[in-house]
Structures are given as structure tokens and as C-alpha cells.
Amino acid sequence: MEFRPCIDIHNGKVKQIIGGSLLDEGDFAKENFVSDLDSTFYAKLYEKRGIRGGHVILLNGKDSPYYESTKEQAIRALNCYPQGLQAGGGITPENAMEFIRAGASHVIVTSYVFRDGKIDMEHLESIRDAVSAKRLVIDLSCRKKDGNYFIVTDRWQKFTEMVLSEETLDFFSEYCDEFLVHAVDVEGKAGGIEEEVAGVLGNWGKKTVTYAGGIRSFQDLELLYKLGRGKVNATIGSALDLFGGEMDFEKVLSFMEGT
């Protein structure tokens, strides 16, 4: 299990938010933490500690008046740590290579590969062809409904018809190098992990998968390690001391080194 850091950018600032609260209307999000430091501080820190595979996420839509400032922060982070970070948020075949050229090791997509709640095969193939499967991460972030965890798109507000399952992971694995999965219902709440989600990811275990959502303690990390069978990487947001939480960054790295 590896630690995968994050740099979430909203309205031009590095933030930690409650994931399910994010709305395009008014560029609203319930905030847990707003950093006084810009994205380059975090990128340089992650580079110094040799932590690779973190994700830089643009949380504003392209029509937002904040999009350009958010994008600028993302590009600066990628420039600071070439090939050390992944970029996501509004990625399409038309702009993917801009983030790759800026230094992203991979680009991350969710909404682009779905339409009207279903997989858009034309879009899925076009984004793969634009950057190659080796540089593509598919985000299968999910929310619970009717007893199942459904993939959600459009700032995590729209449910698709696709359930997170080993079959879903098998299907998409032909098109990407890694998966990123936010358990959206607990994202930003530091209230514990979604055990069912972690179990699905650990049982599958065929490619690199990063879990995000709800980690609040080292007990949660131990549980994720167990349920993920040591194969599932972890992102910690609001609970990390870098973002105002109580989990010590250096102790998290030491924990990971021991797994």
C-alpha cells in the first residue's frame, strides 16, 4: 500500500472540501480547509519526500469564472514536479496533452467517458487514443443508492447506471493504467472509510488502485490495508495535518513504508 497525495484546487485555491457538496452553480462547496499556500508548496513537498502518483484535481467547471485561476494553480504544480503528479478535472482529448506537456504523468477522467448515465464508447476510445492507456487513470468515484455503489459524474452529482464492481473494473482496465476511486458519501468528512468499496477494490487487485474518502486515523489505514489486501493505495485529505487535520504527515509515510 502506498500513500498517494492530493492537491485539490477550487476557486483558485488549494482546499479540502466535503465532496458531495460540490456544485457548479455559484462555484459552491462546503470547505474543510483553505490553504494560505499555493499548489507549488505541496508539489515541492511531495517531490522532496519522493512521493509519486498524487492527483491534482481542478474542481471548477470550464464555464466557471474561477476556471483559469484554478487551471493556473494546477499547471504550476505539474511544472514543479514533472512526472510526479496526475491531473484531473474536465479532461478531454482536446486538452489532455496540455496537462501531459505541463508535467502530468497521467490524466484522470470520469465524466467525459459517460453520457446520459451510460458508457460513451466513442469518448472512452478517443481519450485513450489521445494519451494512450499507459497515461490514463479512470476515476470510478461512487455513491451508495439502493444498496449499491454507483459511479457518479459531473462533480459527483449525477448517478450513472454503472455499479462499482469487479466486472466494471475488468471492463475499464483495458483502457487505462490505474484507477482512482473516491467514496463520495464520506469524502471530506473524516468519518471512516467505506468498507464495502475498499473490499471490492481489494478483491479485484489486478491494477493500481487508489482509494480516497473518510480516512481519519491510523486504524482506518490498517482497515484499508486489510480490506484492500495490501493492494489498494490511500489518499488522505482533511484528516492530514497538511490540511488542518490530526494525522501527522511523516507518521503516515512511516506507516506506509511498513506495509
Side-chain angles (χ1 to χ4, degrees), residues 3 25-26 31 33 42 51 62 65 72 99 104 117-118 141 148 154 156-157 159 170 177 196 201 204 255:
F3 175 65
E25 184 178 353
E31 299 168 345
F33 175 82
Y42 297 96
I51 310 165
K62 291 182 181 179
E72 180 185 0
F99 292 96
K118 300 176 182 177
S141 295
N148 288 306
D154 300 281
W156 301 331
Q157 297 302 311
F159 282 84
D170 277 334
D177 190 44
E196 293 176 63
L201 303 180
W204 185 70
F255 177 94

Side-chain angles (χ1 to χ4, degrees), residues 90-104:
I91 301 295
T92 67
E94 290 72 33
N95 67 11
M97 287 307 299
E98 180 179 3
F99 292 96
I100 296 290
R101 288 191 293 268

Side-chain angles (χ1 to χ4, degrees), residues 206-222:
K206 298 176 184 178
K207 281 195 171 186
T208 300
V209 180
T210 299
Y211 169 91
I215 297 173
R216 62 182 171 182
S217 66
F218 288 93
Q219 288 76 19
D220 285 328
L221 284 180
E222 290 170 357

